[in-house]
Amino acid sequence: MKMRVRNHALYFIGILSYVVSLIPFFGVNVTRALLLIPVIAYTLPILEHLQPKIMTLKIDYKDILLILLAAIPYIFVEINNVIMYIIVPIVLLIVTLTFYFNKNTLWGNVLGTTFVVSLSLVWALFEGNQFLIPDIYWILYIFAGALYVEYKIPYRRLDKSIVQVSWILSLVILTLISLNTPLLLVSLIEPSTRFLRPGEKLKSPKEITLLGWKNSKRDVIFVVLLILLSLLSLLHY
């Protein structure tokens, strides 16, 4: 009997993305936030099921039905005022599919991961949360982090300068949107030391699991900092 390996990383970043969508917690529609839990509970398994099929472009009509099922809740997001934010995950999904179609697994993986966390924007808007800066922090952090992981994999042909440039651009964007909440920039200190000085590649693929565990702990710390610094920023200003 063939054992199925769970994509724990997908569930991990999915749950953290939901937490980020709730920041700063006050002002959030509690009823809608609770309604999102079962939605996310079936969305993540659908994404897990579809990921390998999308990577190999082997999607059948049943998969299309699953995609439609996963998309239903987002019909209820008020598009009139937030179309620019809804476009972000849509564009990321299209670009991800384009890279997989062109057999570019590296960038497909990076942007596919970024697409998953970008759903935090949509979730936040569904919850009535208007403070979206933490979501943008989270999206750019995960994008650079996914590039960092791909760079560290021994058999990936990715230069460290790509990781560095992506994070420098992210720092510019995050600095500009944080003019009224500068305390949030403190959360970027640790990621900056990691992404601007990514070090050498791993010596063996066996080290990837350990790298994953370390990054998971850092992701949790990053989200905790986002929560604390967002609360301090809003209370201060």
Side-chain angles (χ1 to χ4, degrees), residues 139-190:
I139 292 167
L140 293 177
Y141 167 81
I142 289 295
F143 172 69
L147 278 174
Y148 171 81
V149 171
E150 291 292 335
Y151 158 72
K152 298 293 279 188
I153 296 174
Y155 49 83
R156 290 289 198 227
R157 294 183 178 180
L158 184 70
D159 192 85
K160 68 173 65 176
S161 63
I162 302 297
V163 181
Q164 295 166 329
V165 170
S166 73
W167 188 241
I168 289 172
L169 292 175
S170 297
L171 286 176
V172 172
I173 295 170
L174 295 174
T175 300
L176 290 175
I177 68 172
S178 303
L179 295 178
N180 293 324
T181 54
L183 278 176
L184 278 172
L185 294 173
V186 174
S187 66
L188 305 178
I189 295 175
E190 189 282 326

Side-chain angles (χ1 to χ4, degrees), residues 39-100:
V39 171
I40 295 171
Y42 77 73
T43 298
L44 294 179
I46 288 175
L47 291 175
E48 180 189 30
H49 170 77
L50 291 174
Q51 184 183 36
K53 294 199 168 191
I54 291 174
M55 291 177 66
T56 56
L57 301 176
K58 293 180 179 179
I59 299 176
D60 56 30
Y61 73 93
K62 293 180 181 178
D63 298 322
I64 294 175
L65 290 176
L66 286 175
I67 293 172
L68 294 175
L69 177 63
I72 288 174
Y74 306 105
I75 297 174
F76 299 98
V77 177
E78 296 179 7
I79 293 182
N80 53 338
N81 296 322
V82 297
I83 186 66
M84 62 178 291
Y85 298 108
I86 303 294
I87 287 176
V88 172
I90 293 175
V91 170
L92 284 170
L93 179 59
I94 292 172
V95 176
T96 298
L97 294 173
T98 301
F99 275 117
Y100 280 137

